[in-house]
């Protein structure tokens, strides 16, 4: 398939537009000088990736991204920002200009690795068709059948991270200190 | 898709939208009237018969009022937040089937719902989780401390109760898979309604509330908390926060938050009616063997649906007039220590019973 044939399909224009929007949002996440704006640009990037999933006929994955990432993870980010500091003004230190070249190299390297492995794995095979949604059942069978071990390992790592986070952030109070704070 | 298909889709989306706007205007009036009755007051009685036009009058007034822009506000977000409140509220209701699909002579059907996604329930959950952005951004962008506190409370509350809400819905999905003919799971709301047709033991309607009353209890409490209604209205506690996240809002922008809240109440009640009370299914005509004329048979499902929804809406108003607001730590304790473990326990029980029903008990 040549590029002009690819471009003649209107679906691919939509793909390009969404991809450009995601890229723009992603750049603004790291360059924005307002921490709340950065979080909101991350919402934009995630919403764009959900839209790309919809284009790939992966309805379930798309709405799961909206539910889990936009609806819960970023909301938690915002919560964290607001209970610590929520300056409406800009914070110049947020955009670390000295680290930009390194960040660019890392980002490009990650992109190259992902592109290379994807091409290696799928090549020219047709993964999905527009308007022909992947049944959720197929997804469930893949996740709980063939890939059940990686799935469980990821779950275990997340549990470990959770417990580790609590241990690091929380120091057990001595009885005297607890008295001081008052019983809840 | 040709033009006729497009127009039909447009028609049903517009019909759903208009239905939602009408009931919302009615609900605001109904709440004031019902709460007034419960508190031995008269309530609105000036505009129109029984004061039924009071909401229209209030809406028009808010529409023409000045919109104050606070000096310290982040204007972009400040203007955007009310829209973020209204849009998910309307989108959520688009998934709910509010009547029996109309069948045409040529066999094609016209479903009475905004859209029939086969992952409808997931979409509903996604939209209800988006609603919190409006409150958080409104609170943050106002540049004032009381709205910010309201926003922080909203985030913690929404995250805590969303989990319970989702788990209650999952229990229903598992149950529906067990009671379906081929044991296939479904997240489509029209399919969930279809599977609640018929009766248990010949007289009890096959509604999910009977086998799934635990899930209904969790769902209802979590729905009240998700819509930020009393007794979980810490987000807009006028006595503590001057007003909460919308303190700095005025005029049309304030009206939009208000609209979103009432749309959310109706959407959540409609979702409850769909998941637990059989949606538009009803038995009055068939149970007594009446011969219903065709036009009545066509509108009865919508009447059943609205009636069931209003039973739940009435419960929303009722507990608002009855219960005092929870303290913040009580709210968190109820959410994390009672509702979520309760919902997980109920889900586990449902899964075991459903598996036994489907594949027979291991000792059988």
């Amino acid at each position: 398939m040549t590029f002009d044939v690819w471009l003649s399909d209107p679906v691919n224009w939509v793909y390009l537009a969404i991809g450009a929007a995601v890229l723009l949002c992603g750049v603004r996440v790291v360059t924005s000088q307002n921490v709340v704006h950065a979080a909101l640009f991350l919402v934009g990037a995630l919403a764009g990736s959900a839209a790309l999933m919809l284009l790939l006929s992966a309805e379930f994955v798309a709405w799961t991204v909206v539910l889990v990432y936009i609806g819960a993870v970023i909301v938690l980010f915002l919560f964290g920002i607001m209970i610590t500091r929520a300056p409406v003004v800009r914070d110049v230190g947020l955009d670390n200009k000295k680290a930009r070249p390194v960040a660019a190299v890392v980002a490009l390297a990650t992109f190259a690795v992902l592109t290379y492995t994807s091409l290696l794995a799928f090549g020219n095979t047709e993964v999905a068709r527009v308007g022909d949604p992947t049944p959720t059942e197929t997804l469930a069978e893949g996740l709980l059948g063939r890939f059940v071990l990686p799935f469980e390992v990821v779950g275990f790592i997340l549990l470990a991270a959770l417990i580790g986070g609590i241990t690091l952030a929380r120091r057990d109070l001595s009885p005297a200190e607890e008295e001081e704070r008052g019983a809840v | 898709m040709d033009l006729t298909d497009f127009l039909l889709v447009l028609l049903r989306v517009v019909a759903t939208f208009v239905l939602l706007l009408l009931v919302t205007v009615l609900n605001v009036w109904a709440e004031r009237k019902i709460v007034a009755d419960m508190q031995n007051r008269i309530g609105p009685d000036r505009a129109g018969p029984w004061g039924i036009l009071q909401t229209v009058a209030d809406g028009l007034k808010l529409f023409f009022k000045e919109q104050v822009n606070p000096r310290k506000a982040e204007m972009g977000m400040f203007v955007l937040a009310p829209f973020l409140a209204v849009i998910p509220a309307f989108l959520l209701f688009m998934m709910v089937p509010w009547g029996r699909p109309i069948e045409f002579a040529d066999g094609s059907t016209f479903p009475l719902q905004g859209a029939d996604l086969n992952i409808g329930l997931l979409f509903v959950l996604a939209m209800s989780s988006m609603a919190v952005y409006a409150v958080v951004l409104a609170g943050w962008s106002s540049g004032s401390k009381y709205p910010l506190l309201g926003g922080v409370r909203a985030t913690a509350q929404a995250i805590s109760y969303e989990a319970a809400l989702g788990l209650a819905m999952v229990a229903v999905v598992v149950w529906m898979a067990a009671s379906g003919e081929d044991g296939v799971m479904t997240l489509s709301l029209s399919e969930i309604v279809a599977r609640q047709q018929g009766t248990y033991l010949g007289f009890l309607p096959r509604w999910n509330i009977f086998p799934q009353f635990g899930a209904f209890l969790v769902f209802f409490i979590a729905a009240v908390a998700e819509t930020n209604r009393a007794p979980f209205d810490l987000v807009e506690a006028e006595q503590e926060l001057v007003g909460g996240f919308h303190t700095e809002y005025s005029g049309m922008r304030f009206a939009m938050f208000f609209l979103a809240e009432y749309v959310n109440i109706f959407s959540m009640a409609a979702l409850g009616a769909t998941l637990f009370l059989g949606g538009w299914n009803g038995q009055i005509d068939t149970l007594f063997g009446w011969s219903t004329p065709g036009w009545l048979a066509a509108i009865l499902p919508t009447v059943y649906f609205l009636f069931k929804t209003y039973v739940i809406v009435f419960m929303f108003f009722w507990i608002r007039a009855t219960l005092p607001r929870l303290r913040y730590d009580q709210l968190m304790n109820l959410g994390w220590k009672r509702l979520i473990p309760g919902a997980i326990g109920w889900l586990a029980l449902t899964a075991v019973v459903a598996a036994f029903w489907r594949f027979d008990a291991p000792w059988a």
Side-chain angles (χ1 to χ4, degrees):
Chain A
M1 192 190 288
T2 53
F3 184 68
D4 49 324
V5 175
W6 185 81
L7 204 62
S8 63
D9 191 350
V11 171
N12 293 330
W13 306 348
V14 180
Y15 169 79
L16 277 183
I18 297 172
V22 171
L23 207 60
L24 198 71
C25 283
V27 170
R28 291 293 288 139
V29 170
V30 285
T31 56
S32 174
Q33 292 185 336
N34 185 320
V35 67
V36 176
H37 286 180
L40 291 176
F41 278 118
L42 196 52
V43 171
L46 288 167
S49 63
L52 288 179
M53 292 293 181
L54 278 181
L55 277 185
L56 289 171
S57 306
E59 275 187 325
F60 185 82
V61 182
W63 292 113
T64 307
V65 166
V66 174
L67 174 65
V68 175
Y69 286 95
I70 302 181
V73 173
I74 309 286
V75 170
L76 270 178
F77 276 11
L78 285 174
F79 182 61
I81 294 165
M82 295 207 182
I83 54 171
T84 45
R85 51 183 192 152
V88 181
V89 290
R90 49 181 51 195
D91 179 0
V92 186
L94 210 55
D95 180 18
N96 190 351
K97 289 210 169 62
K98 268 186 261 174
R100 271 185 181 183
V102 185
V105 169
V106 171
L108 282 177
T110 316
F111 176 72
V113 168
L114 283 176
T115 314
Y116 181 67
T117 47
S118 305
L119 279 178
L120 218 57
F122 298 109
N124 256 338
T125 35
E126 190 180 79
V127 186
R129 264 187 175 283
V130 174
D132 181 19
T134 321
T136 312
E137 213 177 337
T138 319
L139 209 77
E141 269 165 11
L143 209 58
L144 298 174
R146 188 176 161 204
F147 296 107
V148 69
L149 198 65
F151 181 65
E152 289 295 325
V153 168
V154 168
F156 189 74
I157 291 173
L158 284 177
L159 180 70
L162 190 72
I163 295 171
I166 294 171
T167 355
L168 284 178
R170 257 190 93 134
R171 188 173 52 90
D172 277 333
L173 299 175
S174 66
E177 280 173 317
E178 217 152 285
E179 190 87 10
E180 209 172 281
R181 289 203 181 175
V184 178
Chain B
M1 193 198 290
D2 57 10
L3 191 67
T4 333
D5 283 345
F6 176 74
L7 285 179
L8 280 177
V9 170
L10 191 71
L11 179 71
R12 69 177 196 232
V13 170
V14 171
T16 312
F17 183 76
V18 169
L19 177 84
L20 198 51
L21 270 186
L22 275 179
V23 295
T24 304
V25 169
L26 266 179
N27 278 355
V28 177
W29 168 78
E31 170 169 35
R32 294 178 66 177
K33 223 40 185 173
I34 290 168
V35 174
D37 265 359
M38 287 175 177
Q39 295 170 343
N40 218 357
R41 294 183 286 112
I42 295 173
D45 70 338
R46 297 286 133 170
W50 316 289
I52 201 164
L53 295 176
Q54 185 64 45
T55 317
V56 181
D58 287 345
L60 278 177
K61 185 197 76 171
L62 283 170
F63 195 80
F64 288 115
K65 274 202 144 182
E66 184 195 356
Q67 302 191 351
V68 180
N69 297 333
R71 188 159 14 110
K72 281 189 175 174
E74 249 274 345
M75 278 320 289
M77 292 299 148
F78 190 73
V79 175
L80 187 68
F83 293 94
L84 289 180
V86 172
I87 293 168
F90 276 102
L91 284 179
L92 201 160
F93 186 73
M94 285 293 153
M95 292 298 124
V96 179
W98 46 270
R100 190 199 302 275
I102 300 169
E103 282 174 25
F104 294 114
D106 63 341
S108 60
T109 54
F110 180 66
L112 290 180
Q113 76 191 98
D116 186 12
L117 293 189
N118 63 354
I119 45 142
L121 207 54
L122 191 69
F123 182 84
V124 162
L125 271 176
M127 284 305 122
S128 91
S129 69
M130 298 292 288
V132 68
Y133 275 96
V135 177
V136 174
L137 290 181
W140 174 75
S141 66
S142 293
S144 158
K145 57 184 167 245
Y146 292 118
L148 184 68
L149 279 172
V152 170
R153 284 180 173 190
T155 334
Q157 183 176 330
I159 292 170
S160 312
Y161 283 82
E162 210 172 270
L165 190 77
L167 285 169
M169 287 185 192
V170 170
V172 172
V173 171
V174 169
W175 184 255
M176 294 307 335
S179 59
E181 267 157 35
D182 44 3
V184 174
M185 293 251 178
T186 182
L187 290 169
S188 152
L189 288 177
S190 60
E191 180 63 24
I192 287 176
V193 171
R195 288 190 189 183
Q196 293 181 71
Q197 274 163 358
T199 51
Y200 291 115
L201 309 171
F203 67 97
L204 198 63
R206 207 181 170 85
W207 296 346
N208 281 331
I209 189 167
F210 301 115
Q212 287 290 324
F213 57 92
F216 179 73
L217 199 67
V218 174
F219 172 85
F220 182 71
I221 296 172
V224 174
E226 276 287 296
T227 47
N228 296 326
R229 295 278 303 173
F232 304 109
D233 59 342
L234 290 99
V235 174
E236 40 192 302
E238 26 318 73
Q239 296 89 338
E240 301 152 38
L241 297 178
V242 192
F245 70 94
H246 53 48
T247 305
E248 303 289 348
Y249 279 87
S250 51
M252 203 55 214
R253 291 183 195 139
F254 173 75
M256 282 172 77
F257 278 121
F258 204 68
L259 175 73
E261 180 176 330
Y262 280 83
V263 169
N264 268 326
I265 293 169
F266 187 77
S267 300
M268 277 296 172
L271 194 63
T274 303
L275 289 178
F276 294 99
L277 299 177
W280 47 259
N281 287 315
Q283 261 97 19
I284 293 179
D285 48 341
T286 50
L287 199 62
F288 298 109
W290 297 341
S291 58
T292 34
W295 62 271
L296 193 63
I299 60 163
L300 260 184
T302 306
V303 174
Y304 290 140
F305 168 77
L306 284 177
F307 178 76
K308 289 168 186 172
T309 306
Y310 267 97
V311 168
I312 301 182
V313 169
F314 180 79
M315 280 159 67
F316 269 82
F317 297 161
W318 185 12
I319 61 166
R320 188 204 150 177
T322 315
L323 297 175
R325 182 181 302 133
L326 264 72
R327 219 171 52 219
Y328 197 72
D329 56 320
Q330 291 170 332
L331 175 91
M332 284 295 140
N333 277 341
L334 179 69
W336 289 102
K337 293 184 184 164
R338 306 272 157 78
L339 274 190
I340 292 179
I344 292 176
W346 183 265
L347 176 60
L349 189 70
T350 306
V352 169
V353 172
F356 281 7
W357 188 11
R358 189 89 223 136
F359 305 111
D360 292 331
W363 55 83

